[in-house]
């Protein structure tokens, strides 16, 4: 089927490279058009909204935030292990984290529907010494997303593969420090200096990046200062305009 396709729209340069490699396609057939970001992610949320949402999802302290379907490729089990390492480090040296963490307890909030391989993740949670601090929200209502982002100390997203990674630009719009993967589309979408990048297969790297962002305000500020500006490049009007242009070229 693929040789008879006139054009393919890919959501990232990373996806374009994958298509060329897997299907031996001509690069000229593939046009990269980025996704856009919903304008609601640029609207501020109040302290009251943050507290309302924390109460709704039974979040009691400072927290790390993950948002996406709980699918095995999202690397949830390593996130949990990294969280355990961070908790142990906080126990050993609480003063190290005093500038960033204001609450007595750090939690991990995993937001999203259950996906493929969830039973493995659930087993990992149940066996964790810190299972009481791991919160599964299930599906999150759209109006709760901004307050959940805004209340978080770090957005953790070391996925094993993403074609694009919408939650990353959502977190960037909220100016939340990000830990994400150094492979697939993630560095391309986030931009070079707008996150701490890790090898997602190395739990220690994930944990060390989290420890850095939970203990160093200067690095937190540095990687978020340009993130909002970066997200303005992702506009649905631009996506629609570029997609329409492809259709017009094909029928002309």
């Amino acid at each position: 089927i693929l040789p008879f396709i006139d054009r393919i729209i890919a959501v990232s340069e990373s996806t374009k490279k994958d298509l060329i490699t897997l299907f031996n396609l001509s690069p000229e057939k593939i046009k990269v058009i980025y996704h856009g970001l919903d304008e609601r992610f640029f609207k501020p949320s109040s302290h009251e909204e943050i507290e309302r949402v924390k109460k709704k999802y039974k979040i009691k302290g400072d927290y790390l935030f993950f948002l996406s379907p709980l699918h095995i490729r999202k690397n949830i089990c390593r996130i949990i292990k990294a969280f355990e390492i961070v908790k142990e480090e906080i126990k050993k040296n609480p003063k190290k984290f005093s500038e960033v963490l204001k609450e007595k307890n750090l939690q991990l909030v995993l937001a999203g529907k259950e996906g493929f391989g969830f039973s493995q993740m659930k087993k990992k949670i149940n066996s964790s010494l810190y299972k009481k601090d791991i919160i599964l929200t299930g599906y999150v209502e759209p109006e709760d997303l901004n307050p959940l982002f805004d209340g978080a100390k770090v957005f953790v997203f070391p996925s094993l593969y993403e074609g694009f990674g919408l939650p990353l630009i959502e977190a960037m719009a909220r100016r939340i420090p990000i830990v994400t993967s150094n492979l697939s589309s993630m560095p391309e979408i986030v931009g070079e200096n707008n996150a701490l990048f890790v090898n997602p297969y190395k739990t220690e790297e994930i944990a060390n990046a989290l420890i850095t962002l939970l203990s160093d305000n200067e690095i937190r500020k540095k990687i978020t200062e340009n993130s909002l500006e970066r997200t303005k490049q992702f506009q649905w009007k631009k996506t629609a305009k570029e997609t329409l242009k492809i259709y017009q070229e094909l029928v002309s």
Side-chain angles (χ1 to χ4, degrees):
I1 297 172
L2 287 174
F4 299 100
I5 292 175
D6 293 307
R7 296 298 292 274
I8 293 174
I9 295 173
V11 294
S12 64
E13 293 291 344
S14 175
T15 299
K16 178 177 178 177
K17 287 176 185 175
D18 290 342
L19 289 168
I20 293 167
T21 302
L22 291 170
F23 299 106
N24 196 29
L25 293 171
S26 167
E28 289 74 27
K29 280 194 171 187
I30 307 170
K31 170 69 174 176
V32 174
I33 301 177
Y34 287 144
H35 286 319
L37 180 62
D38 195 303
E39 289 184 359
R40 64 191 163 94
F41 287 102
F42 296 103
K43 295 176 182 176
S45 52
S46 66
H47 175 74
E48 288 74 22
E49 287 175 305
I50 294 170
E51 291 304 309
R52 172 189 65 80
V53 168
K54 286 178 72 174
K55 186 176 180 181
K56 177 178 178 179
Y57 295 105
K58 299 178 181 177
I59 304 167
K60 294 179 180 177
D62 291 324
Y63 60 97
L64 308 176
F65 186 46
F66 168 88
L67 173 68
S68 203
L70 304 183
H71 189 287
I72 201 161
R73 73 176 168 86
K74 302 294 183 176
N75 214 14
I76 306 296
C77 288
R78 287 191 184 92
I79 292 174
I80 294 165
K81 179 60 181 173
F83 173 65
E84 292 170 341
I85 294 170
V86 172
K87 290 283 281 186
E88 290 296 322
E89 186 65 22
I90 293 171
K91 268 187 186 179
K92 289 179 197 173
N93 191 3
K95 286 185 180 180
K96 180 178 180 179
F97 300 88
S98 60
E99 281 189 24
V100 177
L101 298 180
K102 305 304 178 189
E103 303 286 346
K104 292 180 180 179
N105 198 38
L106 180 70
Q107 296 181 304
L108 171 63
V109 176
L110 301 172
K113 291 182 178 179
E114 296 177 13
F116 177 73
F118 179 74
S119 59
Q120 184 180 336
M121 301 166 218
K122 189 66 176 174
K123 186 177 178 181
K124 178 67 176 171
I125 292 169
N126 288 335
S127 66
S128 175
L129 289 173
Y130 300 103
K131 64 181 179 180
K132 289 182 180 178
D133 294 321
I134 301 172
I135 298 169
L136 298 170
T137 68
Y139 173 75
V140 173
E141 298 292 339
E143 61 268 23
D144 293 342
L145 287 176
N146 279 354
L148 275 174
F149 275 120
D150 292 349
K153 292 299 179 182
V154 179
F155 183 65
V156 54
F157 198 78
S159 178
L160 301 177
Y161 180 86
E162 293 293 324
F164 184 84
L166 270 172
L168 288 169
I169 58 173
E170 292 167 359
M172 290 170 69
R174 308 311 299 174
R175 299 191 70 179
I176 306 303
I178 295 170
V179 172
T180 192
S181 303
N182 61 3
L183 46 73
S184 185
S185 66
M186 287 160 275
E188 172 191 348
I189 299 305
V190 171
E192 187 177 354
N193 299 311
N194 300 321
L196 292 188
F197 295 99
V198 297
N199 181 334
Y201 294 96
K202 295 187 177 180
T203 305
E204 286 285 347
E205 279 195 30
I206 301 170
N208 288 339
L210 290 171
I211 288 167
T212 297
L213 290 180
L214 291 171
S215 60
D216 193 323
N217 264 326
E218 288 305 309
I219 292 179
R220 290 173 63 86
K221 290 174 186 175
K222 188 175 180 181
I223 69 170
T224 57
E225 62 185 359
N226 297 316
S227 59
L228 182 60
E229 198 62 33
R230 171 75 176 168
T231 61
K232 292 176 182 177
Q233 299 179 31
F234 303 101
Q235 299 180 16
W236 283 120
K237 285 183 180 179
K238 183 181 177 185
T239 304
K241 187 177 179 180
E242 291 180 359
T243 303
L244 178 61
K245 187 179 178 182
I246 296 292
Y247 287 129
Q248 290 172 331
E249 289 172 358
L250 288 172
V251 297
S252 61

